[in-house]
């Protein structure tokens, strides 16, 4: 169970290491893009993108010295493997997934009782946080995405 002290400690680590939430998200994006890691990307105002990879063009541009204007443009038009584009500012969470995905059997074997643990700053459970970030509309959707999250 995550205590408020643990949450604050985690926030401090992110702040100390990355400087800001946006810098942390950028670091995650850069990692999943350059390593071609499948992930679920949830957004603040749109449905999530499930089992996508991130086009590494913005990472390559940064490595080869693209200017601030070009980097800004690229970070507001990040290309995903499902054909969509997103802005870094829209990203709520990036949840890494296994490259091979999950079988129905693997997901059905996941113990979702860990979803009842309190992990949020306002006392939300993991289940409630998954329901919010994945924009679930049914209990079945919550169970499905909770299983994916816990299995990953």
């Amino acid at each position: 169970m995550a205590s408020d002290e643990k949450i604050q400690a985690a926030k401090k680590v992110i702040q100390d290491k990355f400087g800001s939430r946006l810098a942390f998200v950028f670091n995650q994006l850069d990692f999943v893009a350059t390593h071609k890691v499948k992930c679920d990307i949830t957004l603040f105002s749109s449905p999530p993108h499930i089992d996508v990879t991130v086009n590494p063009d913005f990472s390559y541009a940064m490595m080869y010295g693209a200017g601030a204007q070009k980097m800004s443009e690229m970070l507001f038009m990040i290309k995903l493997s499902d054909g969509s584009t997103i802005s870094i500012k829209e990203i709520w969470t990036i949840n890494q997934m296994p490259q091979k995905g999950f079988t129905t059997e693997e997901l059905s074997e996941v113990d979702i009782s860990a979803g009842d643990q309190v992990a949020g700053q306002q006392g939300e459970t993991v289940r409630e946080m998954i329901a919010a970030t994945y924009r679930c509309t049914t209990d079945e959707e919550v169970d499905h995405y909770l299983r994916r999250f816990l299995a990953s």
Side-chain angles (χ1 to χ4, degrees), residues 81-148:
S81 60
D82 65 2
S84 61
T85 59
I86 60 173
S87 165
I88 190 170
K89 287 191 172 185
E90 294 177 76
I91 297 173
W92 194 349
T93 65
I94 300 172
N95 302 317
Q96 295 182 29
M97 295 292 149
Q99 290 303 103
K100 65 177 180 66
F102 297 110
T103 66
T104 304
E105 294 79 30
E106 287 172 327
L107 287 179
S108 68
E109 293 173 2
V110 174
D111 177 8
I112 59 174
S113 64
D116 296 326
Q117 291 183 349
V118 173
Q121 290 180 277
Q122 279 75 45
E124 308 94 335
T125 63
V126 174
R127 172 182 292 280
E128 291 167 333
M129 292 167 55
I130 292 296
T133 59
Y134 279 82
R135 301 187 173 284
C136 299
T137 57
T138 66
D139 289 341
E140 291 78 21
E141 277 185 308
V142 176
D143 285 351
H144 174 73
Y145 289 117
L146 179 59
R147 287 176 192 283
R148 284 176 59 79

Side-chain angles (χ1 to χ4, degrees), residues 19-79:
S20 69
R21 180 190 180 286
L22 198 56
F24 176 64
V25 169
F26 177 81
N27 185 273
Q28 288 183 295
L29 264 179
D30 184 44
F31 179 84
V32 298
T34 56
H35 293 88
K36 296 179 175 55
V37 175
K38 278 190 176 181
C39 55
D40 291 353
I41 300 176
T42 68
L43 308 173
F44 287 113
S45 61
S46 304
H49 295 273
I50 306 301
D51 263 340
V52 295
T53 55
V54 178
N55 185 304
D57 286 352
F58 73 91
S59 292
Y60 299 152
M62 183 179 66
M63 281 189 263
Y64 293 105
Q69 178 64 34
K70 184 62 177 174
M71 284 303 302
S72 179
E73 289 171 16
M74 294 183 91
L75 290 172
F76 283 92
M77 297 292 291
I78 298 165
K79 299 172 190 169

